[in-house]
Amino acid sequence: MIDASTLLRRALLADAIFSGVAALGFTFGASAFASLFNLPEALLRETGLFLIAYTALVGWLASRGSVAKPLVLLIVVGNAAWTVGSIALLLSGAVSPNLAGELMVVAQAIATGVFAELQYVGLRRSGSMLAA
């Protein structure tokens, strides 16, 4: 366990809020967003369902004064992978979003990448290991 820096806790909280809003929107509004962005409804709904669990984990971590470093690293790596995966999805041709869909995927990829960077910097600023 490490003593979480203020930056790390705030970055995790911002990630949880952003992800929570997306989770609710994609889970309960998948049909509307599918039409708006020309993206598969199932992809949006399943993304929303995943984000519900993710939001709970990241929100819980944000509320802790001390956190498990490997768990935070998993969040950082996951966010970085999400960023790369989102861009890869657009370039793969597996989906054919309209302009609004492309902008949404790119915007959330950028935001997720920023969260990964802030969380990594916050992790580096965090205190030393705590005795168990």
Side-chain angles (χ1 to χ4, degrees):
M1 300 291 281
I2 59 169
D3 189 19
S5 69
T6 300
L7 175 60
L8 176 58
R9 292 178 67 198
R10 287 182 179 166
L12 289 168
L13 180 60
D15 189 1
I17 292 168
F18 180 84
S19 298
V21 169
L24 293 174
F26 289 159
T27 299
F28 299 110
S31 178
F33 283 120
S35 296
L36 179 65
F37 297 133
N38 197 39
L39 287 167
E41 183 176 343
L43 172 67
L44 294 172
R45 181 166 289 111
E46 290 166 14
T47 298
L49 291 171
F50 167 80
L51 287 173
I52 290 171
Y54 176 81
T55 297
L57 172 63
V58 176
W60 177 79
L61 280 173
S63 72
R64 307 285 98 190
S66 60
V67 294
K69 185 176 181 178
L71 192 52
V72 175
L73 281 172
L74 180 65
I75 299 298
V76 171
V77 170
N79 277 338
W82 186 285
T83 298
V84 172
S86 296
I87 301 305
L89 177 67
L90 289 179
L91 297 175
S92 73
V95 296
S96 300
N98 57 23
L99 180 59
E102 289 176 358
L103 291 173
M104 185 276 298
V105 171
V106 169
Q108 65 81 33
I110 291 169
T112 304
V114 168
F115 289 138
E117 179 68 20
L118 290 172
Q119 290 160 354
Y120 179 73
V121 172
L123 185 60
R124 291 182 48 103
R125 289 186 184 175
S126 293
S128 59
M129 301 293 274
L130 299 174

